Amino acid sequence: MPPPPIAHSLGWPDYVIFFVILLFTYAVVIYGRSRQTPTERTIIDILLDGRRLTLPFFVATLVATWYGGILGVTEISYNHGIFNFVTQGVFWYASYLIFAFWIIPKLKGHSYVTLPEVVKKYFGTKAEKIAAIFNIFNVIPTTYALSIGLFLDALFQTGVINGTIIGVVIIIGYSFIGGFRSIVLSDIVQFSVMVTAVMCVWIFSIITYGGLNFLQENLPESHFTITGGHSISALLVWGFIALSTLVDPNFYHRAFAAKEPKVAQKGILVSTLIWMVFDLATTAGAMYAAATLANANIHSSQAYLYYGVELLPVGVKGFFLAGIFATILSTIDSYLFMASSTMSYDVIGNKKHRFLNSYRIHFILFALLAIVLAWLFSEESPFQSPGTIKNVWKTFGSYSAGCLLLPMLAAYAGFTKRGFTAGYFITSTTLSAVVISLWRLTSKELKEPYLERISSDLKPLASLDDLYMGLLTSLIVIAISWLHWREAKTKTLGKLYRFLKLIFSRQ
């Protein structure tokens, strides 16, 4: 029997605080929108807020945007303990630092608006369009739409899909009207609430139950190992998914919107410290939930919500729920913004005064698509799809990292001058997507006989994660491009040598 809705355990102060924070978010967005007339708004104003993000605004919007999967990370912590901090924390911190100190300097001095424009610089217009399409699939907020449905279902028993629809409609209400400025202003409010809310749960947990000793006494040993009961291979998959930060359009977008590159670099460093504290708080909070709610009939993705409401006093409960709600909303609105602006700006190429109308149409379309995909991945779907945020996350993360990561890193490393041309980029990205899809759709039992027929040593590859297959495909294409370049260079040098030898021999 499912637990009663969280709303039954709330007092009137909780409702007041929850809805005041939601209304305040709307208010700051409308106020900010009213400060600028439509005739003043250029493409740069709409997409990048005029490239004027200072450090506080940069940090607030980046942190808020990047943490919408709070129900996903708490689900992993609930089931696997500190494995979450490693896979959803440590791996990502390394990626953030690589982005700040290796990629941002390469972008310096260019007036890029989107990540596909970076691709265009290295590989041309066709590659730009393909990168834009991959980016769109990367930022359709399926995971976060599913999260908002799970949140509202736990709160009011709306049903997951009904909750998803309600949540997405709320986001359309404030994000639809103002472009990136609306997103930034809403992120300021949401950032403040979300960080404070998870810290409250952590502090109250220690006060109520004690520290590490309590967790060690009430949780299995696997919760305190970095693998969490998984294989090293499964652990490293998340490391490669974390590297997808290096091709994430949201990260590039914030860097392009910063007042100057140094603001982006400092902002990423400050954000990383905040994420570290945030990850410690959510990991610890979900582990306390696992220690106290182990026998409760609660879905693991909703356990952190029920635990927080059970733990916190009246008034603080409403603030906590507003914080979780804000965390999810802040990511969905940014992802819908990126998907719709990428479609309008990069794919269709609408870069003039009609851009805003095109953007709004695509915003609605992608919001509807997010709802449909959330339904397909939910447990309410008739197609028996994965049903957990972790699996949805992994599915889309595998495509992002497996298709775009190595080709873009090859470009940054100078391989465009060593044979990795536009044709190879297009081949690498599309072929990796095909291989990932085929490998995912083919069962282990079907793959094993074919691999064994080639060589008995290849049979274990049937268990290899599809992300690795995508990366391997990209690596092979990049290697072939380099070998062709080297062969052509060798032939050219050989011809030059023979020509010079002929000239000198005649003398």
Side-chain angles (χ1 to χ4, degrees):
M1 182 178 178
I6 289 174
H8 288 179
S9 59
L10 303 179
W12 67 264
D14 297 310
Y15 287 105
V16 170
I17 290 171
F18 183 86
F19 286 107
V20 163
I21 291 173
L22 182 60
L23 291 173
F24 185 64
T25 301
Y26 270 85
V28 296
V29 170
I30 293 170
Y31 170 77
R33 177 66 181 85
S34 68
R35 302 289 292 176
Q36 190 177 38
T37 61
T39 55
E40 296 173 337
R41 307 179 81 202
T42 65
I43 289 289
I44 299 301
D45 290 325
I46 296 169
L47 286 180
L48 300 174
D49 196 22
R51 298 190 196 272
R52 57 185 174 183
L53 287 188
T54 55
L55 185 62
F57 285 88
F58 180 92
V59 170
T61 188
L62 188 63
V63 171
T65 296
W66 211 244
Y67 223 98
I70 187 168
L71 297 187
V73 298
T74 54
E75 175 189 330
I76 297 171
S77 299
Y78 183 86
N79 292 319
H80 306 292
I82 65 171
F83 171 78
N84 171 72
F85 186 75
V86 177
T87 59
Q88 310 306 315
V90 175
F91 287 151
W92 296 84
Y93 309 148
S95 299
Y96 305 150
L97 297 179
I98 293 171
F99 190 94
F101 294 104
W102 186 51
I103 291 183
I104 286 181
K106 293 181 179 296
L107 306 174
K108 189 176 180 180
H110 298 280
S111 56
Y112 297 123
V113 176
T114 62
L115 172 57
E117 285 190 340
V118 181
V119 175
K120 181 181 179 180
K121 176 203 168 187
Y122 287 105
F123 301 107
T125 303
K126 289 183 180 179
E128 177 192 17
K129 300 293 184 186
I130 289 176
I133 292 169
F134 273 105
N135 280 173
I136 288 170
F137 281 106
N138 189 25
V139 294
I140 295 173
T142 307
T143 307
Y144 311 107
L146 182 58
S147 295
I148 208 70
L150 288 164
F151 174 86
L152 291 175
D153 179 51
L155 192 58
F156 300 116
Q157 283 191 351
T158 58
V160 174
I161 298 308
N162 289 335
T164 298
I165 294 170
I166 294 168
V168 172
V169 167
I170 290 172
I171 292 161
I172 291 172
Y174 71 82
S175 298
F176 183 74
I177 61 173
F180 185 50
R181 172 169 290 193
S182 298
I183 305 296
V184 172
L185 292 174
S186 64
D187 283 346
I188 296 292
V189 179
Q190 293 160 341
F191 163 78
S192 305
V193 177
M194 63 185 264
V195 172
T196 308
V198 298
M199 291 304 295
C200 283
V201 173
W202 192 13
I203 292 168
F204 273 89
S205 295
I206 294 172
I207 293 171
T208 305
Y209 297 108
L212 184 60
N213 288 338
F214 172 80
L215 294 176
Q216 289 176 328
E217 290 171 2
N218 291 277
L219 291 173
E221 290 183 10
S222 61
H223 272 58
F224 300 93
T225 63
I226 63 171
T227 60
H230 293 78
S231 65
I232 294 296
S233 173
L235 178 75
L236 293 177
V237 163
W238 288 101
F240 285 110
I241 290 176
L243 286 172
S244 66
T245 301
L246 307 182
V247 289
D248 187 278
N250 280 297
F251 240 74
Y252 282 83
H253 179 260
R254 270 38 177 198
F256 298 151
K259 198 170 182 180
E260 56 182 357
K262 286 184 178 179
V263 169
Q265 288 181 312
K266 290 179 182 177
I268 291 172
L269 287 176
V270 174
S271 299
T272 301
L273 293 175
I274 295 171
W275 282 317
M276 191 178 297
V277 174
F278 201 93
D279 287 328
L280 287 169
T282 51
T283 300
M287 289 175 72
Y288 276 103
T292 56
L293 302 177
N295 298 320
N297 186 21
I298 298 173
H299 195 288
S300 58
S301 61
Q302 296 174 320
Y304 185 71
L305 290 175
Y306 281 98
Y307 170 73
V309 170
E310 183 180 290
L311 172 74
L312 299 171
V314 172
V316 184
K317 294 179 182 181
F319 188 85
F320 163 70
L321 292 171
I324 302 300
F325 196 51
T327 305
I328 304 169
L329 290 183
S330 63
T331 300
I332 300 179
D333 59 22
S334 291
Y335 273 58
L336 285 176
F337 172 80
M338 284 308 306
S340 52
S341 60
T342 300
M343 176 60 79
S344 300
Y345 185 87
D346 293 300
V347 177
I348 295 177
N350 192 334
K351 302 180 181 182
K352 296 184 179 179
H353 62 283
R354 296 186 182 219
F355 169 82
L356 192 56
N357 291 332
S358 174
Y359 156 77
R360 286 172 173 166
I361 292 170
H362 290 117
F363 195 99
I364 299 293
L365 293 176
F366 283 119
L368 294 174
L369 180 59
I371 292 170
V372 171
L373 291 174
W375 171 68
L376 290 174
F377 278 99
S378 76
E379 293 182 346
E380 296 177 13
S381 168
F383 300 106
Q384 297 181 348
S385 48
T388 68
I389 294 173
K390 175 186 171 184
N391 288 332
V392 183
W393 228 343
K394 169 124 184 358
T395 298
F396 286 95
S398 294
Y399 280 99
S400 176
C403 298
L404 279 177
L405 179 60
L406 291 184
M408 284 304 297
L409 292 183
Y412 290 135
F415 274 73
T416 51
K417 298 176 181 178
R418 294 177 175 84
F420 191 59
T421 56
Y424 284 111
F425 176 88
I426 294 169
T427 302
S428 174
T429 51
T430 53
L431 189 59
S432 293
V434 171
V435 169
I436 289 173
S437 300
L438 292 175
W439 197 261
R440 177 177 290 273
L441 294 172
T442 308
S443 67
K444 178 182 175 182
E445 290 72 24
L446 194 60
K447 286 181 283 197
E448 280 183 341
Y450 287 99
L451 291 169
E452 192 171 21
R453 196 174 301 170
I454 300 170
S455 171
S456 59
D457 295 332
L458 295 179
K459 186 177 179 181
L461 290 179
S463 302
L464 198 66
D465 192 272
D466 50 84
L467 169 60
Y468 290 126
M469 297 304 297
L471 291 171
L472 180 61
T473 303
S474 290
L475 189 61
I476 290 171
V477 174
I478 293 169
I480 290 172
S481 72
W482 181 78
L483 289 172
H484 281 178
W485 168 79
R486 187 177 178 185
E487 181 183 4
K489 185 179 179 182
T490 302
K491 286 181 179 179
T492 302
L493 289 174
K495 288 179 181 178
L496 179 61
Y497 170 76
R498 288 192 293 274
F499 174 74
L500 291 174
K501 184 178 179 181
L502 179 64
I503 294 296
F504 285 108
S505 65
R506 287 181 177 177
Q507 292 178 349

